[in-house]
């Protein structure tokens, strides 16, 4: 079973081109082009992996280091504000989806669920120390863990309702009509989880994200949804090849961290 990090980057890579385009479609022949790129979602996923692999590094240290290493990447307002302080001890209380977008790989670790949720909280605190942002991060990590362990869709929905108050009463066409650009964790993360769980396979997942979230925070939604979906369905080889080729040419540190995390994920945060 894959580590999820590449799937999250692929969702970001594909979704980035469609953000702010209001192009809500399912049937495009080609989902990537010369305009496809990665965003802060991928950079911060790599930063999370860096913190998980190296026990001597904290989440906030890795987020600060990776954030300042990529001047060509535009970060969201909340993360940008936190990075501008240049102080890992500074705490920003954002309620946006940034923490949820960067933490999903925590749910793939071979550790108990309570430890996963603790790490999700820790990964959020520095820049997204708000109850809604922390809940969203925990919800994403729980869902990744649950799918990975064969939990059913309704069991996951029941947990999200009881623990975080997420009423998952969406429809695909309802999201297409009403899901507008909103980076708040409360309003963007539950639909991303819904699209992952309602899709038939990875291809269907990314296409549903473009269809239903084409007017929303498309790259973030697609990144979260694809990471979740990768825990139950394989990633089409064409997307793996296209994304890795682009990373090799433009952002090798992200590609290197993907490869390192995939190799070392099994021993991350084990108690020895």
């Amino acid at each position: 079973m894959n580590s999820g990090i590449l799937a999250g980057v692929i969702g970001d890579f594909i979704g980035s081109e469609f953000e702010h385009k209001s192009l809500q479609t399912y049937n495009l022949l080609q989902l990537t082009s010369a305009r496809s790129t990665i965003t802060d979602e991928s950079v911060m996923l790599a930063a999370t992996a860096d913190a998980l692999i190296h026990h001597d590094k904290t989440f906030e240290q890795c987020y600060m280091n990776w954030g300042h290493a990529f001047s060509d990447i535009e970060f969201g307002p909340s993360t940008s504000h936190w990075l501008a302080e240049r102080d890992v001890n500074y705490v920003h209380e954002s309620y946006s989806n940034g923490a949820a977008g960067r933490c999903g790989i925590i749910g793939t670790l071979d550790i108990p669920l309570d430890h996963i949720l603790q790490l999700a909280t820790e990964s959020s605190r520095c820049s997204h120390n708000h109850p809604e942002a922390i809940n969203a991060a925990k919800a994403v990590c729980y869902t990744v863990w649950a799918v990975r362990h064969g939990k059913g869709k309704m069991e996951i929905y029941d947990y999200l309702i009881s623990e975080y108050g997420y009423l998952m009463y969406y429809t695909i066409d309802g999201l297409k009509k009403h899901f507008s650009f909103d980076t708040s964790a409360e309003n963007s993360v539950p639909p991303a989880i819904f699209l992952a769980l309602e899709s038939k396979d990875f291809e269907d997942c990314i296409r549903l994200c473009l269809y239903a979230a084409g007017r929303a925070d498309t790259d973030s939604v697609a990144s979260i949804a694809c990471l979740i979906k990768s825990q139950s369905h394989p990633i089409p080889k064409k997307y793996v090849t296209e994304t890795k080729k682009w990373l090799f040419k433009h952002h090798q540190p992200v590609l290197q961290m993907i490869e390192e995390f995939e190799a070392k994920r099994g021993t991350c945060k084990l108690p020895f």
Side-chain angles (χ1 to χ4, degrees), residues 216-230:
D217 188 4
T218 314
D219 60 339
S220 300
V221 170
S223 179
I224 293 169
C226 286
L227 198 158
I228 293 170
K229 199 65 187 179
S230 72

Side-chain angles (χ1 to χ4, degrees), residues 6-7 10 202 234-247 255 259 262:
L6 179 58
I10 288 171
F202 192 94
I235 307 170
K237 186 176 180 180
K238 60 183 177 180
Y239 298 134
V240 173
T241 301
E242 290 171 2
T243 304
K244 283 190 171 183
K245 275 185 175 180
W246 188 92
L247 289 171
L255 178 59
E259 300 291 342
E262 289 182 339

Side-chain angles (χ1 to χ4, degrees), residues 124-229:
S124 304
R125 290 289 188 197
C126 58
S127 57
H128 293 74
N129 191 32
H130 186 283
E132 290 299 340
I134 293 171
N135 281 347
K138 292 165 69 175
V140 169
C141 289
Y142 164 76
T143 304
V144 171
W145 174 88
V147 171
R148 193 175 180 86
H149 286 81
K151 304 294 183 183
K153 178 174 65 177
M154 297 314 299
E155 183 178 353
I156 295 172
Y157 286 162
D158 287 344
Y159 180 93
L160 295 175
I161 291 172
S162 65
E163 294 296 319
Y164 309 117
Y166 286 177
L167 301 175
M168 308 294 283
Y169 302 143
Y170 302 108
T171 64
I172 301 298
D173 287 331
L175 285 173
K176 182 177 186 289
K177 183 177 180 180
H178 300 292
F179 195 14
S180 59
F181 191 84
D182 184 346
T183 62
S184 68
E186 183 179 19
N187 292 322
S188 61
V189 172
I193 295 172
F194 173 83
L195 291 168
L197 298 181
E198 294 297 323
S199 56
K200 298 189 295 290
D201 53 32
F202 192 94
E203 180 85 30
D204 188 46
C205 179
I206 186 63
R207 289 183 178 276
L208 284 180
C209 288
L210 301 182
Y211 175 82
R215 295 187 299 115
D217 188 4
T218 314
D219 60 339
S220 300
V221 170
S223 179
I224 293 169
C226 286
L227 198 158
I228 293 170
K229 199 65 187 179

Side-chain angles (χ1 to χ4, degrees), residues 52 55 59 103 105-120 122 141-142 144-146 148-149 261 264-272:
L52 294 174
H55 292 256
F59 288 115
C103 74
I105 56 173
I106 295 172
T108 71
L109 302 186
D110 296 324
I111 56 177
L113 177 59
D114 59 346
H115 192 187
I116 284 173
L117 298 180
Q118 178 186 343
L119 288 172
E122 291 175 7
C141 289
Y142 164 76
V144 171
W145 174 88
R148 193 175 180 86
H149 286 81
F261 183 73
K264 298 179 179 179
R265 180 200 57 81
T267 57
C268 288
K269 297 299 180 181
L270 291 178
F272 52 79

Side-chain angles (χ1 to χ4, degrees), residues 13 16-17 21 32-37 246:
F13 182 65
S16 63
E17 183 178 350
K21 300 290 177 59
T32 59
S33 75
R35 295 183 297 274
S36 299
T37 187
W246 188 92

Side-chain angles (χ1 to χ4, degrees), residues 53-84:
I53 292 169
H54 301 103
H55 292 256
D56 59 335
K57 297 180 180 180
T58 65
F59 288 115
E60 47 267 43
Q61 286 172 339
C62 290
Y63 296 146
M64 189 67 72
N65 291 340
W66 281 79
H68 285 290
F70 290 89
S71 58
D72 59 325
I73 296 291
E74 181 180 353
F75 289 85
S78 298
T79 302
S80 294
H81 178 90
W82 181 76
L83 290 171

